Amino acid sequence: MPVEPLPGFLQKLPAIHVAPAIFVKIGRDPSMPHSTAQRSSMSDSRLFKYSNWDALNVAIIPLHISFFVWLAYEYHNLSPLVLIALIPVLFAISLQNAGANHNHYHTPFFSKRWLNTLTRMGFSMTAAPKTPHNIGHGLHHATHRSWNDDSLLETLGLKRPVHQQLLAFAQYVLESLGLKYLVLLYLLKRWPSERLAAFVSPKELELGTKFFDKIKAPHKLREAKLDLAAWMFFRILLCAIDWKFFFFYFVPTAYLIDTIRLAENFLQHWGASDPYDSTRDSVSSYGSLYNGLTFNLGYHQEHHYRPGAHWLQLPSLTADLPADRRTVPFTHYINVPVVYPRFAAQLAEQAKNGVDGEPATQGSSA
């Protein structure tokens, strides 16, 4: 959709609105129908279910594990300046893990179930147990809501008093030792889903109840336990290498990155005009570096339009979507009110007047 021009300092940067060329060239022909037939149309491999290029997603598992193990060993040899400079690298790793796991959840890479299980456990090791996350993501697709009235600061938890934020960090430290997951596993066997939802997410009882109903299913609970085992094993390994690295660097930086990434749903949907229209309920970002790093995670509207489409097929879906929908350049992480203050003011005015839809703004399309 038309939005106001970017601030001057961003206008000077070259706006890239195309996917990395390799990801477009190896995607499907736009004339191909999107259906379960995509498997046979993309790969004849006995190993990979959809495409041999899914190996790129899988390859980040040993890459990320090796990086964290190296960092744990070298922690005492690195200066504070280098450790601070590595935080953006860790953030990029977190995004890449999210993109690869997201693709694996929607289109499991392997023909063999046990290989998909190992892959999911691998993604869990350096991030968070993926089965609970994936269940939540599935519910996100089944839920229609607008993010235009939400506060970014509230989403990040930054409107809480300082003592509550410090308490949240203390709780995160305990969570990093697995306490939260162990307590939930204990309660899952003893409490009904409604009581668990009231305890964990009192503001979203219906959604919370659906989540616990799903994770209580025997096969999902088994998957969650495997993911948790992989996640805990990796943290024990890092502690064994250097416990100071784990508590004084790994946990604080993970908390910082996870806090920033709490905004991800907000960033991928803020400014979208219609939560009930799968061609306008999200915001896409076509930056080459961003999509190359995250395996086309920027094609968010395309993904909501066809959630079952393989990540290589997403660029070809852009032509099926309205040309005037909202997009942002570079990355979703600039889709914030401070970058688009006039647009944010128009959304606020519409909310005040009870007007639905997107604001009419002038200027170039982002």
Side-chain angles (χ1 to χ4, degrees):
M1 90 175 202
V3 298
E4 63 179 294
L6 286 168
F9 75 96
L10 285 178
Q11 286 183 344
K12 296 177 183 178
L13 298 174
I16 302 171
H17 300 280
V18 295
I22 187 173
F23 290 169
V24 176
K25 290 177 181 177
I26 61 181
R28 73 168 182 92
D29 187 312
S31 64
M32 284 186 182
H34 291 275
S35 68
T36 54
Q38 66 174 313
R39 174 184 173 180
S40 60
S41 69
M42 294 185 68
S43 174
D44 295 325
S45 170
R46 292 185 179 181
L47 180 62
F48 290 99
K49 187 175 183 180
Y50 295 97
S51 170
N52 291 336
W53 289 98
D54 287 335
L56 292 175
N57 292 254
V58 180
I60 73 166
I61 295 173
L63 180 66
H64 291 177
I65 290 173
S66 299
F67 179 80
F68 279 110
V69 169
W70 168 82
L71 194 55
Y73 275 113
E74 292 296 320
Y75 172 65
H76 284 292
N77 298 324
L78 299 175
S79 69
L81 188 61
V82 170
L83 292 172
I84 293 172
L86 283 173
I87 293 177
V89 176
L90 297 175
F91 181 75
I93 285 175
S94 178
L95 279 181
Q96 191 170 61
N97 178 285
N101 174 73
H102 178 258
N103 294 336
H104 184 247
Y105 167 66
H106 284 282
T107 53
F109 300 146
F110 295 101
S111 300
K112 302 293 185 182
R113 181 179 295 180
W114 67 272
L115 285 173
N116 286 320
T117 297
L118 288 178
T119 301
R120 193 190 65 250
M121 291 171 66
F123 289 138
S124 299
M125 289 176 72
T126 57
K130 292 303 182 182
T131 294
H133 171 85
N134 292 342
I135 290 173
H137 182 71
L139 291 172
H140 163 70
H141 274 280
T143 304
H144 303 284
R145 62 160 296 186
S146 172
W147 292 81
N148 294 343
D149 298 335
D150 287 36
S151 163
L152 178 59
L153 292 178
E154 189 171 343
T155 300
L156 294 172
L158 298 180
K159 283 193 171 183
R160 296 173 297 183
V162 174
H163 73 277
Q164 290 187 11
Q165 295 190 42
L166 292 174
L167 179 61
F169 175 70
Q171 291 174 334
Y172 188 85
V173 174
L174 294 176
E175 290 175 13
S176 298
L177 300 174
L179 181 62
K180 176 181 75 173
Y181 299 108
L182 294 175
V183 169
L184 283 176
L185 283 175
Y186 176 83
L187 294 179
L188 278 171
K189 296 180 179 180
R190 289 159 177 81
W191 286 8
S193 298
E194 294 80 5
R195 185 180 179 187
L196 278 167
F199 176 65
V200 175
S201 56
K203 294 182 180 180
E204 295 181 300
L205 284 176
E206 183 179 355
L207 205 60
T209 301
K210 289 180 179 178
F211 171 85
F212 287 113
D213 281 343
K214 287 182 176 293
I215 203 169
K216 280 187 172 187
H219 70 289
K220 285 297 178 186
L221 192 56
R222 184 166 55 250
E223 290 176 359
K225 290 177 179 178
L226 289 172
D227 294 350
L228 178 59
W231 179 85
M232 291 190 71
F233 167 78
F234 191 62
R235 274 143 188 78
I236 292 171
L237 174 64
L238 294 180
C239 275
I241 295 172
D242 190 334
W243 67 270
K244 291 182 180 179
F245 161 78
F246 181 79
F247 285 105
F248 297 126
Y249 187 75
F250 180 82
V251 171
T253 55
Y255 180 75
L256 173 63
I257 291 167
D258 286 353
T259 298
I260 295 172
R261 293 199 53 228
L262 284 174
E264 202 157 273
N265 276 333
F266 176 95
L267 301 171
Q268 292 171 338
H269 296 273
W270 182 73
S273 60
D274 189 348
Y276 293 94
D277 182 350
S278 63
T279 67
R280 294 181 181 274
D281 62 355
S282 306
V283 177
S284 286
S285 180
Y286 299 133
S288 289
L289 180 61
Y290 179 54
N291 283 294
L293 176 73
T294 63
F295 307 106
N296 286 344
L297 193 60
Y299 287 82
H300 201 65
Q301 185 63 77
E302 289 81 352
H303 171 63
H304 272 257
Y305 176 56
R306 290 287 185 268
H310 190 268
W311 62 280
L312 293 177
Q313 299 176 334
L314 295 177
S316 67
L317 290 174
T318 303
D320 298 342
L321 301 174
D324 62 342
R325 64 195 166 80
R326 177 170 171 78
T327 64
V328 294
F330 309 118
T331 170
H332 281 119
Y333 282 83
I334 69 165
N335 189 33
V336 292
V338 70
V339 177
Y340 297 99
R342 224 184 316 169
F343 181 71
Q346 290 175 328
L347 284 177
E349 185 66 22
Q350 284 193 349
K352 180 180 177 181
N353 296 331
V355 179
D356 294 327
E358 60 195 25
T361 59
Q362 297 182 355
S364 60
S365 175

